[in-house]
Amino acid sequence: MSECFWGWSMREDLRKNGESGGFVSSLIESLIGDYDRVISVRKTGTVFEGKVVDLKDSSDVKGIQGALHSLCINMSAYIKKGMRTAIVLKPCDAKAVIENMKRNHVDRGDVLLIGLNCGGTLSPVNTMKMLDVEYELRPDEVVKEEISKGNLIFFTEDNEFSKSIDELEESGYGRRESCRYCNYKIPSVCDIACGNWGTPAGGKVTFVEIFTQKGEQAVRSAVEMGFVSVEAPSEKLVMVRSKINSSMKKLARSWKGKVLDPIMELSPIDRLNYITNTLSPCIGCYACRKACPVCNCTGDCKCLQMDPDDVLPIPQYHAVRLLHLMESCIGCGNCTDVCPVDIPLARLHQLFAKAYEDRTGYKPGMSADDVPPLSRGDIPEGH
Amino acid sequence: MSHRCQEVISLKVIDSHCPGCSILCGLHIIEDGDEIDIDFQKYCPINSGKLCKFGIDLPAIYKNCVETCMVDGELVCKDECISAASRALKSWSSRSKGKNGLVLCLGDATNEELLSLKDFANALGMKCSSGLGHFVGNITNVPLFHDFTGFDIIENSKNIILISLDPYYQYPLVARKLQMAKERGSCISSIGPEGSHLETICENIDLCRPNEVLKRLRELSQHVDRFSLFITQLGIYADPSIVAEINNICSRTSSRVKYLKDYANSEASLAMGFDNYGKSIDEIVSEMESGVITALILVESPLFDTYLDNDRFMKACEKLDTLVVIQSSMPKNLPSNAVLVPLEAFYRRKGTLINVCGRFISMGGDLEGTPDVLRKIMAGLSSAPIGSFLDLTKRSREAYDSWSANNIGYEIVSVPEHNALEGENIHLYVTNPYLLRGMGHQLVKRVGDRLYPEMLKKERYVVKQRVADGVVLSYQRDRRFKGIMGLYE
């Protein structure tokens, strides 16, 4: 049962300069001291540069940029078992945290998940190139970026520049491939989901949806301590938010069809050839394993347990990963981002995950209580 | 609401660059209490967050930091080891007439550290070496260090020739650029030993032994033009005759060359005017053996573990009057006469670097590193002090600006005699930075110190071929070493 509000910061500087009225910044400020770690992202240069910070006092809050679309940091990696952590994250990060709960790497009771709605993230270096080619802007001129109504908008100090995402993506720019076909836009597995969908035009407020008692308690406490203020949203804008979510999901389905269906429609032997050819440049650096937010095994990981006499250790490594991640890949795209030889690994993993989901109905990252079908042994007959 | 833990483990994320080679890929280092990890820095324009195996394995290097101070094989406190270094250098300085002292730093040091070492060496009457000085000194006018074209030149070259390079294994970031070049219609050729996946990017693969490369290069030169780009490696074991020949081809045909280098700040040794000794590593070791060099300050240059004739290097070091080792990673081997002074890990140091594309880069650490150590050693000597860090940064910026404004063209140089070395003077021509730097690849980890002698017995796996500088040792990919890997299981 969820509850919705419009919220904003009570700190003048954050309300004025923060994203959507600075609600998230002030909410996490209110949590400092209550959690061992309060984790978010801070801009370190242009809006395309930033790093994770552990906030220790109110002065750390300034410059926090939870919604930087161009950072693509795997936030779930910053949750350490046994540390009580409040963390701001994207929907895919939240799904990764849920998968880690299943593996006992995270305790649900230890974390407060503050999710941010996400229409997709951008590869920073490709985006800086796009700025030059498509927008004729320098990265240091951009003060804010936003995805709205099918457009990618960059704001400078005194202007805004908007282009159709569809057109940008056809030209090889725009959102990362995995984000294009991701259909999880509002992180409902979090305690709270925040964003600017369903807010009044030009209004300095955040749309806040609360999913858990812990989330409600955090917001109530922040209100009582005077960090934030909230009010009920208009019904009309609640509907608008829902429509935006639906249209983003529809777009995602269309992209999934465009990217994955042609591969699925290949004959089994051609599909196998496609997969092996795509993996052939692999140099065995294991960066994909390192970047994967749900792959947390240490030295005893099965994907590295190769027979030294086997002549195909790298294909074996990928075969094990493709099978393992079939029921846990949350489609974050980190593996593709970090591959030094540009193998579209997320596409391959999603190919397997989609086939698995089609057959079993199982979606990873949606509930810590879900047991994967292979683990519970109730795969439908014939599959 | 919950209670905050009594002891909160601090989490710190530091902007950094990989010291694995002079590409200087951007990454984040995560300090989480005693644990060290990496995160990908996807906004870094150098590598877009991508890392090779070395970068992925960086936590293992950084965990192996020097925590102990040693003097003549005995554990001492840090103050005592600084005093011992100071006393040893003072003593050497007073009786060094006619003898050489050398500061050797292969490259894992910031510009500020190189400048402070240079100042320190000048004060003591010592020389400085980056291990590449023989290229600068003997093959003049070769723009080894001075090509600011970045990696875009790879994507935009119509004809690319790889010389003894295994890009997928050695420099995956370059392999990406080669893939892009191929997609744009470039013709890519390879001359040299077999490499991994070369067939996926190269139209022409001329497999040959290292001693045949120079001949093949000369044969190829008639097909090279101003749209051609050579890519090869310039490390301490690189073959001077091949370097000179490539330079001459570039001069005659207006083609270009991109040299990839092994150490983090190799590019800066010329810009900072660091290397004023002009000798190769082999020549330096010979001079240590013959007593020409009697004092050595070895800075971030783990040659005890990575010089491929370890025994020779250790024995040469033991002949020295004075040996001061300033290093951040703990050496496996250390001569008994060494004073080991610990240095903070690379990522913890602040300062600036220059990468292989000529980018001037800042490090995200907050410690001075070598200048701080040198100041303490200087305190015991009556020499001029090391300047402030701010001053060193200012000087490094000025040196960079002056260096980068000075365009060096390709001019014909004489080609050193090829295949000239005889007798015991064998070096290993290493085409793999993992092995050169003594870690990284799982094969190297598995066989450890026994790697070299055992591999030499396996002609099938090691092309043991004398060239100008020695022997080839390459091909560390798993599948090709399954026999050796099996041997050590």
Side-chain angles (χ1 to χ4, degrees), chain A residues 218-253:
Chain A
V219 173
R220 190 192 305 140
S221 174
V223 171
E224 285 170 2
M225 290 191 288
F227 284 95
V228 298
S229 189
V230 295
E231 70 177 26
S234 77
E235 277 185 31
K236 186 183 162 195
L237 286 174
V238 172
M239 291 297 293
V240 167
R241 177 176 181 261
S242 177
K243 276 185 186 170
I244 294 171
N245 190 28
S246 299
S247 62
M248 294 296 284
K249 285 184 169 184
K250 191 176 164 192
L251 184 63
R253 279 195 296 275

Side-chain angles (χ1 to χ4, degrees), chain A residues 34-37 48 50-51 72 78 80 84 124 280 282-283 290 308 314 334 337-342, chain B residues 2 4-5 9 13 30 32 37 39-40 42-44 48 50-51 56 168 172 176 179 197 477 482 489:
Chain A
D34 288 327
Y35 283 83
D36 300 328
R37 284 180 177 170
F48 309 99
K51 64 180 181 185
C72 320
Y78 290 84
K80 190 174 184 178
R84 289 182 49 78
S280 67
C282 175
I283 55 166
K290 174 76 186 160
I314 291 173
N334 278 315
D337 289 347
V338 303
C339 177
V341 288
D342 285 342
Chain B
S2 62
R4 197 176 172 85
C5 284
I9 300 168
V13 181
I30 307 166
D32 193 351
D37 206 347
D39 198 0
F40 302 90
K42 295 180 188 175
Y43 59 79
C44 180
S48 306
K50 296 163 193 294
L51 296 170
I56 300 292
Y168 277 92
R176 276 183 72 226
Q179 281 176 351
H197 303 298
R477 276 185 74 81
K482 67 184 183 106
E489 277 301 302

